[in-house]
Amino acid sequence: EAQVTQNPRYLITVTGKKLTVTCSQNMNHEYMSWYRQDPGLGLRQIYYSMNVEVTDKGDVPEGYKVSRKEKRNFPLILESPSPNQTSLYFCASSLSPGGGLNEKLFFGSGTQLSVL
Amino acid sequence: AQTVTQSQPEMSVQEAETVTLSCTYDTSESDYYLFWYKQPPSRQMILVIRQEAYKQQNATENRFSVNFQKAAKSFSLKISDSQLGDAAMYFCAYRSGSSGSRLTFGEGTQLTVNP
């Protein structure tokens, strides 16, 4: 089944404790991205990747890191989480970065992160 | 930069009735796409309907249709014959036709369907 898999679904941590949220897709997609969802703000893009070893900042990259060593994986890293990073996180992927006419964005099931 | 605005944080509708969710956007581009996503309590992001800016005809998907007013930069979603399963958060989203797969989302509208 074609899917984007995020783990974990829920995570509670404490300020300053490094964490990684994993994202994997099995569709050979070139484009992958991370969004965070906050009440009243909708979803905002954190980072995106056009292909292996190619990553770039989105709208709200501060406090986050990503890597794209393999095509299928795009982990989100919080080196020193803070309470303002408490949010619902989504990974998404699409076949190509070009955003063609029939390009569809596939979303993971989300990771609810709480930073105490 | 593009912006998307949903001015209705919450809406409610009676089962079997019709409801319209509003969305406006701001862009200087002529080539773009607009989307409505549904997010039920499961948190899954479900694509409801999409509209290409170059198409004058409004998109329709079963009970869901849009009213796309390009000059006014308005993109409302109409849900006909509302069902209990339509209750969800709805997001309007914009995607440039020239700068890849990035989506710009509105703030969301929480839709309640009353039996």
Side-chain angles (χ1 to χ4, degrees), chain A residues 9-10 31 35 37 40 42-43 45 59 88 90 94 96-103 105 107 109-110 112, chain B residues 33 37 39 42-45 47 50 52 54 89 91 95-97 99-103 105-108:
Chain A
R9 275 184 68 84
Y10 300 92
Y31 179 91
Y35 290 83
Q37 179 181 343
L43 285 80
Q45 191 180 58
D59 296 320
L88 177 60
F90 285 97
S94 65
S96 76
L101 179 61
N102 294 311
E103 200 63 65
L105 199 61
F107 283 89
S109 54
Q112 180 63 57
Chain B
Y33 308 96
Y37 280 88
Q39 186 182 53
S42 67
R43 303 183 327 206
Q44 186 181 4
M45 292 291 286
L47 179 61
R50 56 176 284 160
E52 292 88 351
Y54 66 87
M89 178 71 83
F91 291 101
R95 196 187 86 203
S96 168
S99 60
S101 300
R102 175 173 173 263
L103 289 174
F105 286 87
E107 304 90 337

mmCIF file of all heavy atoms in Angstrom, chain A residues 9-10 31 35 37 40 42-43 45 59 88 90 94 96-103 105 107 109-110 112, chain B residues 33 37 39 42-45 47 50 52 54 89 91 95-97 99-103 105-108:
data_model
loop_
_atom_site.group_PDB
_atom_site.id
_atom_site.type_symbol
_atom_site.label_atom_id
_atom_site.label_comp_id
_atom_site.label_asym_id
_atom_site.label_seq_id
_atom_site.Cartn_x
_atom_site.Cartn_y
_atom_site.Cartn_z
ATOM 1 N N ARG A 9 3.316 8.437 16.783
ATOM 2 C CA ARG A 9 2.077 9.204 16.642
ATOM 3 C C ARG A 9 1.920 10.208 17.780
ATOM 4 O O ARG A 9 1.349 11.277 17.586
ATOM 5 C CB ARG A 9 0.860 8.290 16.585
ATOM 6 C CG ARG A 9 0.568 7.756 15.195
ATOM 7 C CD ARG A 9 -0.686 6.932 15.167
ATOM 8 N NE ARG A 9 -1.903 7.697 15.392
ATOM 9 C CZ ARG A 9 -2.570 8.359 14.462
ATOM 10 N NH1 ARG A 9 -2.117 8.394 13.232
ATOM 11 N NH2 ARG A 9 -3.688 8.995 14.746
ATOM 12 N N TYR A 10 2.403 9.842 18.918
ATOM 13 C CA TYR A 10 2.351 10.738 20.074
ATOM 14 C C TYR A 10 3.720 10.727 20.756
ATOM 15 O O TYR A 10 4.360 9.683 20.860
ATOM 16 C CB TYR A 10 1.291 10.288 21.084
ATOM 17 C CG TYR A 10 -0.104 10.245 20.543
ATOM 18 C CD1 TYR A 10 -0.627 9.089 19.988
ATOM 19 C CD2 TYR A 10 -0.911 11.379 20.581
ATOM 20 C CE1 TYR A 10 -1.911 9.063 19.477
ATOM 21 C CE2 TYR A 10 -2.198 11.359 20.080
ATOM 22 C CZ TYR A 10 -2.700 10.198 19.524
ATOM 23 O OH TYR A 10 -3.969 10.176 19.019
ATOM 24 N N TYR A 31 9.960 14.442 -3.754
ATOM 25 C CA TYR A 31 9.685 15.591 -2.900
ATOM 26 C C TYR A 31 9.138 15.136 -1.556
ATOM 27 O O TYR A 31 8.185 14.344 -1.489
ATOM 28 C CB TYR A 31 8.684 16.508 -3.593
ATOM 29 C CG TYR A 31 8.296 17.736 -2.805
ATOM 30 C CD1 TYR A 31 9.000 18.928 -2.938
ATOM 31 C CD2 TYR A 31 7.212 17.715 -1.937
ATOM 32 C CE1 TYR A 31 8.652 20.065 -2.229
ATOM 33 C CE2 TYR A 31 6.847 18.834 -1.228
ATOM 34 C CZ TYR A 31 7.561 20.006 -1.375
ATOM 35 O OH TYR A 31 7.210 21.129 -0.672
ATOM 36 N N TYR A 35 5.407 19.765 7.874
ATOM 37 C CA TYR A 35 4.532 20.855 8.279
ATOM 38 C C TYR A 35 4.261 20.731 9.774
ATOM 39 O O TYR A 35 4.272 19.633 10.324
ATOM 40 C CB TYR A 35 3.188 20.787 7.545
ATOM 41 C CG TYR A 35 3.232 21.106 6.067
ATOM 42 C CD1 TYR A 35 3.580 20.126 5.139
ATOM 43 C CD2 TYR A 35 2.908 22.367 5.606
ATOM 44 C CE1 TYR A 35 3.610 20.419 3.779
ATOM 45 C CE2 TYR A 35 2.928 22.671 4.253
ATOM 46 C CZ TYR A 35 3.281 21.683 3.351
ATOM 47 O OH TYR A 35 3.306 21.977 2.005
ATOM 48 N N GLN A 37 1.165 21.972 12.519
ATOM 49 C CA GLN A 37 -0.200 22.477 12.584
ATOM 50 C C GLN A 37 -0.471 23.010 13.981
ATOM 51 O O GLN A 37 -0.315 22.287 14.973
ATOM 52 C CB GLN A 37 -1.216 21.379 12.258
ATOM 53 C CG GLN A 37 -2.667 21.835 12.334
ATOM 54 C CD GLN A 37 -3.645 20.731 12.028
ATOM 55 O OE1 GLN A 37 -3.292 19.691 11.456
ATOM 56 N NE2 GLN A 37 -4.897 20.906 12.408
ATOM 57 N N GLY A 40 -5.588 27.857 14.914
ATOM 58 C CA GLY A 40 -5.690 29.230 14.443
ATOM 59 C C GLY A 40 -4.642 29.639 13.426
ATOM 60 O O GLY A 40 -4.695 30.752 12.893
ATOM 61 N N GLY A 42 -3.365 27.071 11.040
ATOM 62 C CA GLY A 42 -3.335 26.113 9.950
ATOM 63 C C GLY A 42 -2.033 25.338 9.947
ATOM 64 O O GLY A 42 -1.379 25.160 10.979
ATOM 65 N N LEU A 43 -1.642 24.870 8.781
ATOM 66 C CA LEU A 43 -0.381 24.153 8.628
ATOM 67 C C LEU A 43 0.659 25.074 8.006
ATOM 68 O O LEU A 43 0.365 25.800 7.054
ATOM 69 C CB LEU A 43 -0.553 22.928 7.719
ATOM 70 C CG LEU A 43 -1.248 21.714 8.306
ATOM 71 C CD1 LEU A 43 -2.760 21.865 8.309
ATOM 72 C CD2 LEU A 43 -0.866 20.446 7.527
ATOM 73 N N GLN A 45 4.793 25.202 6.616
ATOM 74 C CA GLN A 45 5.890 24.348 6.188
ATOM 75 C C GLN A 45 7.161 24.648 6.984
ATOM 76 O O GLN A 45 7.559 25.803 7.151
ATOM 77 C CB GLN A 45 6.166 24.523 4.702
ATOM 78 C CG GLN A 45 7.124 23.481 4.136
ATOM 79 C CD GLN A 45 7.395 23.669 2.672
ATOM 80 O OE1 GLN A 45 7.864 24.723 2.239
ATOM 81 N NE2 GLN A 45 7.092 22.658 1.874
ATOM 82 N N ASP A 59 8.707 27.945 5.895
ATOM 83 C CA ASP A 59 8.307 29.200 6.541
ATOM 84 C C ASP A 59 8.737 29.306 8.000
ATOM 85 O O ASP A 59 8.944 30.403 8.501
ATOM 86 C CB ASP A 59 6.785 29.337 6.474
ATOM 87 C CG ASP A 59 6.300 29.449 5.047
ATOM 88 O OD1 ASP A 59 6.963 30.127 4.246
ATOM 89 O OD2 ASP A 59 5.248 28.850 4.735
ATOM 90 N N LEU A 88 1.260 19.672 16.289
ATOM 91 C CA LEU A 88 0.972 18.474 15.488
ATOM 92 C C LEU A 88 1.807 18.568 14.210
ATOM 93 O O LEU A 88 1.718 19.559 13.486
ATOM 94 C CB LEU A 88 -0.518 18.418 15.157
ATOM 95 C CG LEU A 88 -1.008 17.285 14.259
ATOM 96 C CD1 LEU A 88 -0.698 15.924 14.885
ATOM 97 C CD2 LEU A 88 -2.516 17.423 14.020
ATOM 98 N N PHE A 90 3.207 17.030 10.523
ATOM 99 C CA PHE A 90 2.878 16.178 9.377
ATOM 100 C C PHE A 90 4.049 16.124 8.414
ATOM 101 O O PHE A 90 4.652 17.146 8.072
ATOM 102 C CB PHE A 90 1.672 16.721 8.607
ATOM 103 C CG PHE A 90 0.362 16.486 9.278
ATOM 104 C CD1 PHE A 90 -0.220 17.476 10.044
ATOM 105 C CD2 PHE A 90 -0.283 15.261 9.157
ATOM 106 C CE1 PHE A 90 -1.443 17.261 10.673
ATOM 107 C CE2 PHE A 90 -1.503 15.032 9.775
ATOM 108 C CZ PHE A 90 -2.083 16.035 10.538
ATOM 109 N N SER A 94 5.458 13.925 -2.472
ATOM 110 C CA SER A 94 4.843 13.862 -3.793
ATOM 111 C C SER A 94 5.879 13.364 -4.789
ATOM 112 O O SER A 94 7.085 13.424 -4.540
ATOM 113 C CB SER A 94 4.274 15.211 -4.230
ATOM 114 O OG SER A 94 5.296 16.159 -4.396
ATOM 115 N N SER A 96 7.104 14.340 -7.706
ATOM 116 C CA SER A 96 8.165 15.210 -8.201
ATOM 117 C C SER A 96 8.065 16.561 -7.514
ATOM 118 O O SER A 96 7.003 16.935 -7.024
ATOM 119 C CB SER A 96 8.056 15.385 -9.716
ATOM 120 O OG SER A 96 7.011 16.282 -10.022
ATOM 121 N N PRO A 97 9.141 17.309 -7.496
ATOM 122 C CA PRO A 97 9.101 18.626 -6.864
ATOM 123 C C PRO A 97 8.474 19.690 -7.743
ATOM 124 O O PRO A 97 8.270 20.805 -7.309
ATOM 125 C CB PRO A 97 10.575 18.938 -6.608
ATOM 126 C CG PRO A 97 11.304 18.178 -7.658
ATOM 127 C CD PRO A 97 10.509 16.943 -7.924
ATOM 128 N N GLY A 98 8.158 19.332 -8.974
ATOM 129 C CA GLY A 98 7.691 20.340 -9.913
ATOM 130 C C GLY A 98 6.270 20.783 -9.711
ATOM 131 O O GLY A 98 5.846 21.797 -10.245
ATOM 132 N N GLY A 99 5.506 20.028 -8.936
ATOM 133 C CA GLY A 99 4.129 20.431 -8.702
ATOM 134 C C GLY A 99 3.290 20.407 -9.953
ATOM 135 O O GLY A 99 2.545 21.331 -10.224
ATOM 136 N N GLY A 100 3.379 19.354 -10.730
ATOM 137 C CA GLY A 100 2.646 19.271 -11.983
ATOM 138 C C GLY A 100 1.151 19.238 -11.809
ATOM 139 O O GLY A 100 0.627 19.201 -10.706
ATOM 140 N N LEU A 101 0.476 19.207 -12.937
ATOM 141 C CA LEU A 101 -0.976 19.344 -12.955
ATOM 142 C C LEU A 101 -1.672 18.332 -12.057
ATOM 143 O O LEU A 101 -2.587 18.653 -11.316
ATOM 144 C CB LEU A 101 -1.472 19.194 -14.393
ATOM 145 C CG LEU A 101 -2.988 19.292 -14.592
ATOM 146 C CD1 LEU A 101 -3.469 20.665 -14.148
ATOM 147 C CD2 LEU A 101 -3.337 19.051 -16.047
ATOM 148 N N ASN A 102 -1.230 17.100 -12.148
ATOM 149 C CA ASN A 102 -1.908 16.054 -11.383
ATOM 150 C C ASN A 102 -1.110 15.630 -10.167
ATOM 151 O O ASN A 102 -1.338 14.556 -9.618
ATOM 152 C CB ASN A 102 -2.175 14.843 -12.280
ATOM 153 C CG ASN A 102 -3.168 15.174 -13.372
ATOM 154 O OD1 ASN A 102 -4.223 15.740 -13.098
ATOM 155 N ND2 ASN A 102 -2.835 14.846 -14.603
ATOM 156 N N GLU A 103 -0.206 16.479 -9.757
ATOM 157 C CA GLU A 103 0.620 16.138 -8.605
ATOM 158 C C GLU A 103 -0.233 16.052 -7.347
ATOM 159 O O GLU A 103 -1.006 16.953 -7.055
ATOM 160 C CB GLU A 103 1.691 17.221 -8.420
ATOM 161 C CG GLU A 103 2.869 16.760 -7.609
ATOM 162 C CD GLU A 103 3.603 15.628 -8.294
ATOM 163 O OE1 GLU A 103 4.165 15.826 -9.373
ATOM 164 O OE2 GLU A 103 3.602 14.521 -7.735
ATOM 165 N N LEU A 105 -0.228 15.428 -3.176
ATOM 166 C CA LEU A 105 0.587 15.419 -1.969
ATOM 167 C C LEU A 105 0.027 14.378 -1.011
ATOM 168 O O LEU A 105 -1.142 14.418 -0.664
ATOM 169 C CB LEU A 105 0.579 16.805 -1.345
ATOM 170 C CG LEU A 105 1.689 17.166 -0.353
ATOM 171 C CD1 LEU A 105 3.056 17.082 -1.016
ATOM 172 C CD2 LEU A 105 1.465 18.566 0.208
ATOM 173 N N PHE A 107 0.025 12.699 2.663
ATOM 174 C CA PHE A 107 0.346 13.072 4.029
ATOM 175 C C PHE A 107 0.508 11.836 4.912
ATOM 176 O O PHE A 107 -0.195 10.837 4.745
ATOM 177 C CB PHE A 107 -0.763 13.938 4.623
ATOM 178 C CG PHE A 107 -0.741 15.360 4.144
ATOM 179 C CD1 PHE A 107 -1.426 15.724 2.995
ATOM 180 C CD2 PHE A 107 -0.044 16.328 4.844
ATOM 181 C CE1 PHE A 107 -1.407 17.035 2.548
ATOM 182 C CE2 PHE A 107 -0.021 17.638 4.401
ATOM 183 C CZ PHE A 107 -0.703 17.988 3.251
ATOM 184 N N SER A 109 0.244 10.342 8.935
ATOM 185 C CA SER A 109 -0.891 10.389 9.858
ATOM 186 C C SER A 109 -0.678 11.345 11.017
ATOM 187 O O SER A 109 -1.545 11.473 11.878
ATOM 188 C CB SER A 109 -1.177 8.985 10.390
ATOM 189 O OG SER A 109 -0.012 8.426 10.939
ATOM 190 N N GLY A 110 0.461 12.022 11.045
ATOM 191 C CA GLY A 110 0.673 13.058 12.043
ATOM 192 C C GLY A 110 1.358 12.568 13.306
ATOM 193 O O GLY A 110 1.213 11.414 13.712
ATOM 194 N N GLN A 112 1.737 14.014 17.234
ATOM 195 C CA GLN A 112 1.403 15.025 18.232
ATOM 196 C C GLN A 112 2.540 15.092 19.231
ATOM 197 O O GLN A 112 2.772 14.148 19.985
ATOM 198 C CB GLN A 112 0.086 14.690 18.933
ATOM 199 C CG GLN A 112 -0.302 15.710 19.991
ATOM 200 C CD GLN A 112 -0.556 17.085 19.412
ATOM 201 O OE1 GLN A 112 -1.396 17.268 18.539
ATOM 202 N NE2 GLN A 112 0.159 18.090 19.915
ATOM 203 N N TYR B 33 -3.002 26.489 -8.129
ATOM 204 C CA TYR B 33 -4.037 25.504 -7.824
ATOM 205 C C TYR B 33 -4.581 25.789 -6.435
ATOM 206 O O TYR B 33 -3.857 26.256 -5.555
ATOM 207 C CB TYR B 33 -3.461 24.085 -7.862
ATOM 208 C CG TYR B 33 -2.713 23.757 -9.134
ATOM 209 C CD1 TYR B 33 -1.333 23.891 -9.197
ATOM 210 C CD2 TYR B 33 -3.384 23.322 -10.271
ATOM 211 C CE1 TYR B 33 -0.637 23.609 -10.361
ATOM 212 C CE2 TYR B 33 -2.696 23.033 -11.436
ATOM 213 C CZ TYR B 33 -1.315 23.182 -11.473
ATOM 214 O OH TYR B 33 -0.634 22.901 -12.629
ATOM 215 N N TYR B 37 -8.944 20.594 1.933
ATOM 216 C CA TYR B 37 -8.613 19.371 2.639
ATOM 217 C C TYR B 37 -9.551 19.220 3.833
ATOM 218 O O TYR B 37 -9.926 20.193 4.488
ATOM 219 C CB TYR B 37 -7.174 19.400 3.162
ATOM 220 C CG TYR B 37 -6.132 19.076 2.128
ATOM 221 C CD1 TYR B 37 -5.584 20.075 1.326
ATOM 222 C CD2 TYR B 37 -5.668 17.775 1.949
ATOM 223 C CE1 TYR B 37 -4.621 19.781 0.375
ATOM 224 C CE2 TYR B 37 -4.711 17.474 1.009
ATOM 225 C CZ TYR B 37 -4.186 18.478 0.219
ATOM 226 O OH TYR B 37 -3.234 18.188 -0.720
ATOM 227 N N GLN B 39 -9.920 17.316 7.583
ATOM 228 C CA GLN B 39 -9.175 16.647 8.636
ATOM 229 C C GLN B 39 -10.151 16.193 9.719
ATOM 230 O O GLN B 39 -10.542 16.969 10.592
ATOM 231 C CB GLN B 39 -8.109 17.571 9.233
ATOM 232 C CG GLN B 39 -7.206 16.866 10.234
ATOM 233 C CD GLN B 39 -6.188 17.798 10.856
ATOM 234 O OE1 GLN B 39 -6.522 18.845 11.393
ATOM 235 N NE2 GLN B 39 -4.912 17.425 10.769
ATOM 236 N N SER B 42 -9.456 11.776 13.336
ATOM 237 C CA SER B 42 -8.318 10.861 13.162
ATOM 238 C C SER B 42 -7.039 11.599 12.768
ATOM 239 O O SER B 42 -5.960 11.007 12.756
ATOM 240 C CB SER B 42 -8.646 9.826 12.085
ATOM 241 O OG SER B 42 -8.764 10.451 10.809
ATOM 242 N N ARG B 43 -7.141 12.860 12.414
ATOM 243 C CA ARG B 43 -6.034 13.746 12.021
ATOM 244 C C ARG B 43 -5.563 13.519 10.589
ATOM 245 O O ARG B 43 -4.700 14.256 10.107
ATOM 246 C CB ARG B 43 -4.832 13.619 12.962
ATOM 247 C CG ARG B 43 -5.141 13.898 14.389
ATOM 248 C CD ARG B 43 -3.926 13.835 15.283
ATOM 249 N NE ARG B 43 -2.926 12.880 14.891
ATOM 250 C CZ ARG B 43 -2.069 12.321 15.752
ATOM 251 N NH1 ARG B 43 -2.147 12.611 17.030
ATOM 252 N NH2 ARG B 43 -1.151 11.491 15.327
ATOM 253 N N GLN B 44 -6.116 12.532 9.933
ATOM 254 C CA GLN B 44 -5.727 12.277 8.547
ATOM 255 C C GLN B 44 -6.065 13.478 7.667
ATOM 256 O O GLN B 44 -7.107 14.099 7.841
ATOM 257 C CB GLN B 44 -6.469 11.041 8.053
ATOM 258 C CG GLN B 44 -6.079 10.555 6.689
ATOM 259 C CD GLN B 44 -6.899 9.339 6.278
ATOM 260 O OE1 GLN B 44 -7.807 8.926 6.992
ATOM 261 N NE2 GLN B 44 -6.583 8.769 5.135
ATOM 262 N N MET B 45 -5.194 13.820 6.747
ATOM 263 C CA MET B 45 -5.450 14.908 5.799
ATOM 264 C C MET B 45 -6.016 14.290 4.526
ATOM 265 O O MET B 45 -5.336 13.534 3.841
ATOM 266 C CB MET B 45 -4.163 15.674 5.495
ATOM 267 C CG MET B 45 -3.620 16.458 6.666
ATOM 268 S SD MET B 45 -4.653 17.848 7.121
ATOM 269 C CE MET B 45 -4.303 18.984 5.789
ATOM 270 N N LEU B 47 -7.789 14.932 0.832
ATOM 271 C CA LEU B 47 -8.076 15.883 -0.233
ATOM 272 C C LEU B 47 -9.540 15.755 -0.639
ATOM 273 O O LEU B 47 -9.997 14.678 -1.020
ATOM 274 C CB LEU B 47 -7.175 15.619 -1.440
ATOM 275 C CG LEU B 47 -7.384 16.532 -2.640
ATOM 276 C CD1 LEU B 47 -7.108 17.985 -2.273
ATOM 277 C CD2 LEU B 47 -6.500 16.091 -3.797
ATOM 278 N N ARG B 50 -10.132 19.949 -5.752
ATOM 279 C CA ARG B 50 -9.075 20.814 -6.237
ATOM 280 C C ARG B 50 -9.588 21.610 -7.427
ATOM 281 O O ARG B 50 -10.505 21.184 -8.131
ATOM 282 C CB ARG B 50 -7.848 20.003 -6.641
ATOM 283 C CG ARG B 50 -8.139 18.934 -7.681
ATOM 284 C CD ARG B 50 -6.875 18.235 -8.115
ATOM 285 N NE ARG B 50 -6.110 19.075 -9.023
ATOM 286 C CZ ARG B 50 -4.827 18.920 -9.259
ATOM 287 N NH1 ARG B 50 -4.145 17.986 -8.615
ATOM 288 N NH2 ARG B 50 -4.204 19.691 -10.104
ATOM 289 N N GLU B 52 -8.006 24.111 -10.692
ATOM 290 C CA GLU B 52 -6.915 24.765 -11.401
ATOM 291 C C GLU B 52 -7.335 26.189 -11.737
ATOM 292 O O GLU B 52 -8.453 26.407 -12.207
ATOM 293 C CB GLU B 52 -6.584 24.012 -12.701
ATOM 294 C CG GLU B 52 -5.984 22.646 -12.490
ATOM 295 C CD GLU B 52 -7.023 21.536 -12.357
ATOM 296 O OE1 GLU B 52 -8.232 21.863 -12.254
ATOM 297 O OE2 GLU B 52 -6.644 20.365 -12.333
ATOM 298 N N TYR B 54 -6.659 28.142 -14.103
ATOM 299 C CA TYR B 54 -6.930 28.474 -15.501
ATOM 300 C C TYR B 54 -8.297 27.959 -15.960
ATOM 301 O O TYR B 54 -8.772 28.317 -17.029
ATOM 302 C CB TYR B 54 -5.838 27.906 -16.405
ATOM 303 C CG TYR B 54 -5.774 26.394 -16.449
ATOM 304 C CD1 TYR B 54 -6.550 25.671 -17.339
ATOM 305 C CD2 TYR B 54 -4.927 25.704 -15.609
ATOM 306 C CE1 TYR B 54 -6.504 24.290 -17.380
ATOM 307 C CE2 TYR B 54 -4.864 24.318 -15.636
ATOM 308 C CZ TYR B 54 -5.649 23.613 -16.519
ATOM 309 O OH TYR B 54 -5.592 22.250 -16.548
ATOM 310 N N MET B 89 -12.360 19.362 10.554
ATOM 311 C CA MET B 89 -11.693 20.627 10.284
ATOM 312 C C MET B 89 -11.442 20.665 8.781
ATOM 313 O O MET B 89 -10.974 19.676 8.206
ATOM 314 C CB MET B 89 -10.370 20.712 11.045
ATOM 315 C CG MET B 89 -9.584 21.978 10.790
ATOM 316 S SD MET B 89 -10.337 23.416 11.545
ATOM 317 C CE MET B 89 -9.691 23.270 13.220
ATOM 318 N N PHE B 91 -9.514 22.694 5.655
ATOM 319 C CA PHE B 91 -8.457 23.642 5.318
ATOM 320 C C PHE B 91 -8.497 23.972 3.836
ATOM 321 O O PHE B 91 -8.592 23.074 2.994
ATOM 322 C CB PHE B 91 -7.076 23.063 5.637
ATOM 323 C CG PHE B 91 -6.791 22.904 7.097
ATOM 324 C CD1 PHE B 91 -6.898 21.665 7.706
ATOM 325 C CD2 PHE B 91 -6.413 23.991 7.865
ATOM 326 C CE1 PHE B 91 -6.624 21.507 9.049
ATOM 327 C CE2 PHE B 91 -6.139 23.843 9.218
ATOM 328 C CZ PHE B 91 -6.256 22.602 9.810
ATOM 329 N N ARG B 95 -1.444 26.347 -4.001
ATOM 330 C CA ARG B 95 -0.159 25.869 -4.488
ATOM 331 C C ARG B 95 0.200 26.607 -5.755
ATOM 332 O O ARG B 95 -0.612 26.682 -6.686
ATOM 333 C CB ARG B 95 -0.183 24.364 -4.765
ATOM 334 C CG ARG B 95 1.198 23.742 -4.909
ATOM 335 C CD ARG B 95 1.101 22.310 -5.345
ATOM 336 N NE ARG B 95 1.022 22.204 -6.788
ATOM 337 C CZ ARG B 95 0.502 21.157 -7.430
ATOM 338 N NH1 ARG B 95 0.006 20.146 -6.775
ATOM 339 N NH2 ARG B 95 0.479 21.147 -8.741
ATOM 340 N N SER B 96 1.393 27.139 -5.800
ATOM 341 C CA SER B 96 1.856 27.830 -6.993
ATOM 342 C C SER B 96 2.005 26.847 -8.151
ATOM 343 O O SER B 96 2.367 25.685 -7.942
ATOM 344 C CB SER B 96 3.196 28.503 -6.703
ATOM 345 O OG SER B 96 3.807 28.939 -7.892
ATOM 346 N N GLY B 97 1.762 27.317 -9.338
ATOM 347 C CA GLY B 97 1.956 26.482 -10.513
ATOM 348 C C GLY B 97 3.388 26.443 -10.979
ATOM 349 O O GLY B 97 3.745 25.634 -11.845
ATOM 350 N N SER B 99 6.273 26.948 -8.591
ATOM 351 C CA SER B 99 7.317 26.791 -7.576
ATOM 352 C C SER B 99 7.144 25.529 -6.751
ATOM 353 O O SER B 99 7.395 25.528 -5.559
ATOM 354 C CB SER B 99 7.378 28.019 -6.681
ATOM 355 O OG SER B 99 6.147 28.227 -6.027
ATOM 356 N N GLY B 100 6.668 24.469 -7.396
ATOM 357 C CA GLY B 100 6.762 23.174 -6.758
ATOM 358 C C GLY B 100 5.571 22.778 -5.930
ATOM 359 O O GLY B 100 4.478 23.323 -6.063
ATOM 360 N N SER B 101 5.812 21.823 -5.035
ATOM 361 C CA SER B 101 4.714 21.144 -4.350
ATOM 362 C C SER B 101 4.314 21.776 -3.027
ATOM 363 O O SER B 101 3.472 21.245 -2.325
ATOM 364 C CB SER B 101 5.104 19.684 -4.099
ATOM 365 O OG SER B 101 5.355 19.025 -5.318
ATOM 366 N N ARG B 102 4.897 22.900 -2.667
ATOM 367 C CA ARG B 102 4.596 23.509 -1.373
ATOM 368 C C ARG B 102 3.158 24.026 -1.332
ATOM 369 O O ARG B 102 2.683 24.685 -2.248
ATOM 370 C CB ARG B 102 5.546 24.672 -1.110
ATOM 371 C CG ARG B 102 5.244 25.453 0.151
ATOM 372 C CD ARG B 102 6.338 26.468 0.385
ATOM 373 N NE ARG B 102 5.998 27.354 1.488
ATOM 374 C CZ ARG B 102 5.456 28.557 1.324
ATOM 375 N NH1 ARG B 102 5.205 28.983 0.111
ATOM 376 N NH2 ARG B 102 5.180 29.302 2.351
ATOM 377 N N LEU B 103 2.469 23.739 -0.234
ATOM 378 C CA LEU B 103 1.116 24.233 -0.007
ATOM 379 C C LEU B 103 1.139 25.339 1.035
ATOM 380 O O LEU B 103 1.826 25.237 2.049
ATOM 381 C CB LEU B 103 0.208 23.109 0.483
ATOM 382 C CG LEU B 103 -0.171 22.024 -0.528
ATOM 383 C CD1 LEU B 103 -0.945 20.912 0.161
ATOM 384 C CD2 LEU B 103 -0.991 22.600 -1.662
ATOM 385 N N PHE B 105 -1.499 27.032 3.572
ATOM 386 C CA PHE B 105 -2.799 26.699 4.144
ATOM 387 C C PHE B 105 -3.456 27.897 4.810
ATOM 388 O O PHE B 105 -2.786 28.802 5.332
ATOM 389 C CB PHE B 105 -2.647 25.605 5.209
ATOM 390 C CG PHE B 105 -2.385 24.241 4.654
ATOM 391 C CD1 PHE B 105 -1.082 23.831 4.390
ATOM 392 C CD2 PHE B 105 -3.416 23.359 4.402
ATOM 393 C CE1 PHE B 105 -0.816 22.566 3.873
ATOM 394 C CE2 PHE B 105 -3.169 22.096 3.894
ATOM 395 C CZ PHE B 105 -1.871 21.706 3.625
ATOM 396 N N GLY B 106 -4.784 27.852 4.837
ATOM 397 C CA GLY B 106 -5.542 28.777 5.659
ATOM 398 C C GLY B 106 -5.588 28.281 7.090
ATOM 399 O O GLY B 106 -5.042 27.234 7.432
ATOM 400 N N GLU B 107 -6.284 29.054 7.934
ATOM 401 C CA GLU B 107 -6.301 28.761 9.368
ATOM 402 C C GLU B 107 -7.189 27.587 9.725
ATOM 403 O O GLU B 107 -7.055 27.003 10.809
ATOM 404 C CB GLU B 107 -6.778 29.999 10.143
ATOM 405 C CG GLU B 107 -5.966 31.250 9.886
ATOM 406 C CD GLU B 107 -6.479 32.070 8.731
ATOM 407 O OE1 GLU B 107 -7.175 31.518 7.836
ATOM 408 O OE2 GLU B 107 -6.187 33.285 8.704
ATOM 409 N N GLY B 108 -8.104 27.255 8.844
ATOM 410 C CA GLY B 108 -9.000 26.135 9.107
ATOM 411 C C GLY B 108 -10.374 26.583 9.585
ATOM 412 O O GLY B 108 -10.520 27.627 10.237
#
